[in-house]
Amino acid sequence: MRPFTSTISLDDARRRLDAAVRPIERTERVRLEDAVGRVAAADVTSPMDVPPFARSAMDGYAVIAADSAGATRSTPARLRLVDRIYTGQLSSVTIARGTCAEIATGAPMPAGADAVVMVEDTAKSGSGHEIEIGAAAAVGQHIGGRGADIAAGDRVIASGDLLSPSRIGAIAAIGRADADVFAKPRVAILSTGNEVVVPGGTLAPGQIFDVNRFTLSAIVSAHGGMAEPHHTAQDTVAALLAALDACAAADLIVFSGGSSVGERDLVVDAIAARGEMIFHGIAVRPGKPTAFATIGSARTPFFGMPGNPTSCLSNAYILLVPFLRALARLPAHAPHTVRAPLGRRIASAVNRHQFYTVRLREGVAFPAFKGSGDITSLSQADGYIEIPANESVVEEGTMVAVTLF
Ligand code: AMP
Ligand code: MG
């Protein structure tokens, strides 16, 4: 055994992680269908006006506004209908004084007209070739002018923008079918441990199913990374070195297990041989044996997560997610928090910042934490509360801030 001689504070760990992030530079072109949640890698400037022509914003009649001056429902202006204009077609008619054209929403304005009166303010009379305009129109009314939405030369997307559904819409509006985005960081995920077996098969005595491969892959995918799971590595330095080498092409490497101080926890030795340890051991609970290092001449960031599934996933939320999002150039994650009274007293570890999972029942937060090795500490919780290192007890009834998963 090689016990931790010291741990660093959570704040210190966060500072070191922030200092180590090198946001991804690689870019790629994706179809708009695949662009949601991606980060634009270049400004997008419109080559065209949107709309490309002046169009009606209402179903109604294209008129000359002056013809409707003073019109009311009881004293309507009467205009002769000279055309019907549907979307996707141009009218060959020029609207002259005393005439109008029926027009659909989105159809190009005919020459001569300078306003649209919506159909609700009109009536047909005579054989249907005369339209009664029951309200005075203002010049420009219900017309979407050419370029009113986007003018040629306008920047519709700035490099670094998160591509939301509406921004994808703006790119589509200017006729582009794809977008240049930053590549998703490739995140190698690798479980270590002689006892760890991928689910789907059967267990020999002493074996357990791999949980971390799946929780880590899921959280990486959810926060802008490309999860690349690797084969499980045995607990030998040689196997771990081979595993590290197999992950060399990744932008970020995440191992789980073997980062503690048991005699088989050899991740530390593997890092010593291949890179530089930035920290090992954080004053948090769960998740104290977490390590962070850089590997090789590329200085690829490396997380050594604890093997205990709840410790592993908890620290993935707290440390890996912010790091990965910064790597991917995504905005910081802002989880929702709710305030609730604590339903039962909690005793916390002294000198360790504790993340304590809770279940919300009728507005009350009940402790849900079982043990660091128990995935149900998380899977049956709604969120967690934080108990700072200098507090050892939170009494029942205390109002706590619950960060929701
Ligand atoms: P370690 O960090 O390797 O000392 O492992 C701590 C505990 O977590 C041990 O009980 C391991 O069997 C368990 N463990 C390690 N890796 C995994 C994994 N990938 N999935 C589930 N449990 C694991
Ligand atoms: Mg292990």
Side-chain angles (χ1 to χ4, degrees), residues 31 44 96 103 116 196 213 219 246 262 270 274-275 283 337 345 399:
R31 300 184 312 153
V44 178
I103 192 164
V116 170
V196 176
R213 169 191 180 99
I219 205 165
R274 285 288 189 276
T337 61
R345 180 181 197 268
M399 288 303 283

Side-chain angles (χ1 to χ4, degrees), residues 191-193 195-196 208-213 235 256-262 265 289 305-309 373:
S191 300
T192 73
E195 77 284 25
V196 176
I208 55 160
F209 286 123
D210 191 345
V211 174
N212 301 337
R213 169 191 180 99
D235 289 314
S256 72
S259 70
S260 189
V261 292
D265 293 325
M305 293 303 204
N308 272 322

Side-chain angles (χ1 to χ4, degrees), residues 46-58:
S46 179
M48 60 177 281
D49 288 331
V50 179
F53 50 87
R55 64 187 177 188
S56 176
M58 288 282 175

Side-chain angles (χ1 to χ4, degrees), residues 172-264:
I174 63 167
R176 279 196 54 178
D178 50 31
D180 292 322
V181 297
F182 287 104
K184 290 186 177 193
R186 295 176 59 183
V187 184
I189 293 167
L190 191 145
S191 300
T192 73
N194 295 342
E195 77 284 25
V196 176
V197 177
V198 176
T202 51
L203 294 176
Q207 293 183 328
I208 55 160
F209 286 123
D210 191 345
V211 174
N212 301 337
R213 169 191 180 99
F214 298 95
T215 54
L216 289 172
S217 293
I219 205 165
V220 161
S221 302
H223 291 278
M226 286 272 286
E228 297 181 346
H230 287 251
H231 291 297
T232 306
Q234 297 286 301
D235 289 314
T236 65
V237 173
L240 292 176
L241 291 178
L244 276 180
D245 294 342
C247 298
D251 298 302
L252 172 61
I253 304 171
V254 186
F255 278 22
S256 72
S259 70
S260 189
V261 292
E263 58 187 310
R264 294 210 160 182

